Amino acid sequence: MSRVVMYARVSSRRQEQERTIESQIAKIEAYARERGLELGEQDRYLDDGVSGKRLARPGLDRLRDQVAQQTIDEILCLSPDRLARTLAVQQVLLYEMEQHQVKVTFLNQPNLATDEQEKLWQGITGVIAEYEREVIQDRMRRGRLHRMRQGETVPVQAPYGYRYLADQASRRSQWLVVEEEAAIVEQVFAWYTDSGLTQQEIAHRLNGQGTPSPEGKKWGSTAISRLLRQSAYMGKAYYGRKSADTSQIGQMRKAGRGRLAFPRYLAHPFAEWIESQVPALVDESHWQAAQSRLDMNSQFSSRNSRRPYLLRGLLVCATCGHTLQGRTQGQRITYQCTYGGCRRPPDVPPHRCVVSAAVVEPLIWQALRSLLDQPQRLQDAWLSFCAVPEHTPNSRLEVRQNNLLLRRRRLLDLYETGAISLSEFQERLTPLAQELAQLETQLAEPAQPPFQISIELFTQRIQSALDSADVSTQQEVLRLLIERIVVSDEALSVEHIVPTIDNSRLDYTLRAT
Ligand SMILES: [Zn+2]
């Protein structure tokens, strides 16, 4: 025998209090009697004075519990808005009832019969199902993250050399080593670290053997470097290194043309990565050796056209004063003046100013290091620079003051000769007078003592930066100390930020040709 229950609700809003819950119960009971059904006290699920916007309602909660336990076959309700105020909540509830094969009958609304309504209903339930799926996926994802943090599971995406094995009742999920692929990985590491082969050569050898790449195609140096960078091979797989940001897909690109078609990947800080232990394929010292060689390569590779020019913006042509431009042609990196030929200004003779990076970069770098080895000299130079009167901050203000006084004198002359009217004179005088007054108060204050810096600390920090330096750090250090380097035919003269340091002329003979 099927069990039929009723659900009735009135909200706390005053205009609805007139329609008491009793009138709803009476209407539903009358309808039930017509159908020959008898509803007892235990078949009433009532919410008196509860908003229909919320899902958390005592009567509704009890009803949903019964629905979930499948002890109910049909629910009688006056109208959909008694079940829920908003369409979304209504549909969530109806979908839930439907999942448990519970029929909902609304007295004030005939059953949805027309095709259009049916379609709408299906569309809505589809959306809800999708939403639910997402909620479940999200919950699973979070559970998975948690288990991964506990070391109970491994990432699903296994790199070349492994197969992911999902967890079963008897064991946790894990990566299985694929022996033939693992042998290739070992071989690649050995070739790279022991035999000193280049990535290109390794790719060539693998292709010669007929070994397919992880994508099943030919090996290239990119695939080799990706393989050498894979931390899993020394036993540590990481999860959550980056996340995809899909919010900008379809928007105009900030650089370049067209719209963004792919997600942007945002790298997460290392502290947020989740580490999993996986079977190692090479020992850690081997792996580390490969990493240092890779780092060296990326820093000094002349094939890498995106290699930053260490001295970018610092080298200046002695003949015309233009900044030299970095150029990479094949294996050769140079800095050259591009204003010595047809682009040169009329008063400049034709000239050629080209220096090879291989010559000039180590030279400057060495000079800088030897300078940093003598912090006392840097400090002396700095202090004597500050001691010279014209370098005190006040001298700058005095120069400005003199300029303003001169302009005021000229303005007065203009007015006296009748070249400008009184109103124009006043208009132009006001800002001048204001700035002059401001300067006078500033000059009346005691002069600031020279800026004190701890040169030892400064050089220590620079030294430590140099030891671990990547090119952009090196560039930063260079710019801290060097104003510019003038390149002439036979010498580089280094103009330091801190002047009065001698030994700034570096003679060199090896000119790029
Ligand atoms: Zn030039």
Side-chain angles (χ1 to χ4, degrees):
M1 192 193 136
S2 64
R3 184 179 174 215
V4 181
V5 298
M6 74 158 76
Y7 177 75
R9 178 187 67 83
V10 285
S11 81
S12 50
R13 283 161 64 196
R14 198 198 292 162
Q15 65 263 38
E16 294 198 21
Q17 273 170 7
E18 294 155 16
R19 299 166 59 194
T20 57
I21 201 152
E22 278 73 31
S23 73
Q24 277 186 48
I25 297 170
K27 279 180 188 163
I28 293 170
E29 281 184 333
Y31 169 82
R33 269 195 300 279
E34 268 175 42
R35 279 178 50 186
L37 300 165
E38 199 59 51
L39 300 186
E41 196 67 31
Q42 75 284 358
D43 298 328
R44 292 180 180 177
Y45 293 87
L46 310 176
D47 281 314
D48 202 349
V50 182
S51 163
K53 281 179 189 162
R54 295 184 298 126
L55 269 172
R57 289 175 244 160
L60 184 67
D61 281 346
R62 281 191 299 121
L63 179 67
R64 288 171 75 194
D65 286 346
Q66 294 300 312
V67 167
Q69 287 166 28
Q70 299 190 315
T71 57
I72 294 175
D73 298 291
E74 188 176 352
I75 299 166
L76 304 180
C77 187
L78 190 66
S79 59
D81 71 324
R82 297 299 92 202
L83 192 60
R85 258 283 166 222
T86 66
L87 185 69
V89 177
Q90 255 174 42
Q91 301 299 352
V92 167
L93 289 170
L94 287 173
Y95 177 70
E96 185 179 296
M97 310 294 180
E98 195 186 73
Q99 293 297 97
H100 291 100
Q101 282 102 41
V102 175
K103 187 182 173 201
V104 183
T105 306
F106 295 114
L107 277 57
N108 285 357
Q109 184 189 306
N111 285 333
L112 301 177
T114 67
D115 282 353
E116 284 309 305
Q117 279 170 322
E118 185 64 23
K119 250 187 247 165
L120 179 68
W121 170 238
Q122 276 172 2
I124 290 167
T125 49
V127 168
I128 292 166
E130 197 174 307
Y131 168 75
E132 220 172 44
R133 214 161 30 238
E134 260 175 46
V135 169
I136 290 168
Q137 273 175 358
D138 181 59
R139 210 176 292 147
M140 279 173 68
R141 187 185 59 82
R142 277 157 46 194
R144 187 173 180 81
L145 277 182
H146 176 75
R147 285 196 296 144
M148 220 175 274
R149 283 204 186 90
Q150 304 299 312
E152 290 171 13
T153 185
V154 290
V156 180
Q157 296 278 337
Y160 183 76
Y162 303 95
R163 289 281 173 281
Y164 173 76
L165 219 60
D167 53 349
Q168 288 172 359
S170 53
R171 51 155 178 75
R172 291 170 175 177
S173 66
Q174 52 182 279
W175 286 359
L176 273 189
V177 175
V178 181
E179 288 305 333
E180 23 333 338
E181 292 180 4
I184 301 293
V185 171
E186 246 174 277
Q187 179 69 80
V188 168
F189 271 88
W191 277 340
Y192 193 64
T193 55
D194 301 337
S195 314
L197 295 191
T198 65
Q199 295 168 30
Q200 198 76 54
E201 285 163 348
I202 294 172
H204 195 69
R205 274 204 192 178
L206 287 172
N207 291 331
Q209 288 177 358
T211 311
S213 80
E215 286 86 30
K217 299 177 205 159
K218 288 207 161 196
W219 290 87
S221 50
T222 318
I224 298 294
S225 86
R226 202 178 297 144
L227 187 146
L228 289 167
R229 286 279 187 208
Q230 177 56 257
S231 66
Y233 297 148
M234 56 104 175
K236 285 177 187 164
Y238 292 102
Y239 183 79
R241 291 192 293 185
K242 55 191 177 181
S243 57
D245 172 17
T246 53
S247 63
Q248 301 195 11
I249 290 181
Q251 290 183 15
M252 295 304 291
R253 287 175 199 271
K254 289 205 174 67
R257 291 162 60 187
R259 290 172 192 277
L260 211 62
F262 301 102
R264 288 167 183 277
Y265 287 93
L266 308 169
H268 294 179
F270 180 69
E272 289 174 19
W273 296 7
I274 301 171
E275 186 183 304
S276 302
Q277 299 294 324
V278 294
L281 303 186
V282 293
D283 61 275
E284 195 172 340
S285 62
H286 233 85
W287 189 84
Q288 290 296 356
Q291 303 317 299
S292 18
R293 193 176 161 200
L294 285 165
D295 290 342
M296 286 248 296
N297 273 3
S298 60
Q299 193 172 332
F300 295 109
S301 167
S302 53
R303 279 192 313 275
N304 184 358
S305 60
R306 285 173 301 175
R307 173 190 181 280
Y309 297 98
L310 183 68
L311 302 177
R312 188 179 59 196
L314 286 176
L315 297 171
V316 170
C317 171
T319 314
C320 71
H322 275 105
T323 306
L324 305 191
Q325 307 279 308
R327 284 269 183 286
T328 303
Q329 287 156 316
Q331 305 279 323
R332 204 162 139 262
I333 300 163
T334 55
Y335 296 91
Q336 51 184 275
C337 177
T338 55
Y339 291 87
C342 55
R343 290 166 74 191
R344 85 196 126 83
D347 53 339
V348 171
H351 61 279
R352 213 173 116 72
C353 180
V354 184
V355 279
S356 161
V359 173
V360 73
E361 286 178 359
L363 214 57
I364 295 296
W365 201 236
Q366 201 44 53
L368 198 70
R369 272 195 176 275
S370 63
L371 188 68
L372 289 170
D373 285 341
Q374 297 154 290
Q376 194 54 49
R377 251 182 68 200
L378 255 180
Q379 181 149 30
D380 292 347
W382 177 256
L383 288 178
S384 64
F385 169 68
C386 291
V388 178
E390 61 259 34
H391 291 123
T392 58
N394 277 1
S395 63
R396 190 178 51 83
L397 299 180
E398 277 157 8
V399 169
R400 180 74 184 151
Q401 191 185 32
N402 283 336
N403 282 339
L404 290 175
L405 288 169
L406 212 66
R407 272 169 64 188
R408 192 172 67 175
R409 179 74 248 157
R410 280 204 298 270
L411 204 59
L412 203 61
D413 287 346
L414 282 174
Y415 174 61
E416 280 172 350
T417 56
I420 55 172
S421 68
L422 178 64
S423 62
E424 196 180 348
F425 170 68
Q426 279 168 339
E427 196 182 307
R428 287 167 66 174
L429 184 67
T430 315
L432 272 182
Q434 275 169 356
E435 199 182 339
L436 269 172
Q438 207 182 343
L439 278 174
E440 261 161 43
T441 44
Q442 279 180 354
L443 283 166
E445 285 166 12
Q448 297 283 319
F451 176 50
Q452 290 293 323
I453 47 166
S454 161
I455 296 280
E456 279 89 356
L457 199 70
F458 174 73
T459 46
Q460 255 173 32
R461 273 168 50 191
I462 289 184
Q463 288 283 22
S464 67
L466 290 188
D467 291 336
S468 64
D470 55 314
V471 174
S472 61
T473 315
Q474 292 176 342
Q475 283 178 330
E476 246 174 78
V477 171
L478 284 168
R479 287 201 185 111
L480 269 177
L481 292 163
I482 295 174
E483 179 87 56
R484 56 182 198 154
I485 304 158
V486 179
V487 180
S488 69
D489 270 344
E490 71 289 336
L492 301 168
S493 68
V494 182
E495 295 181 7
H496 293 99
I497 298 274
V498 179
T500 60
I501 294 177
D502 53 355
N503 192 23
S504 59
R505 185 186 154 98
L506 301 168
D507 291 308
Y508 71 111
T509 42
L510 284 163
R511 289 296 298 267
T513 47

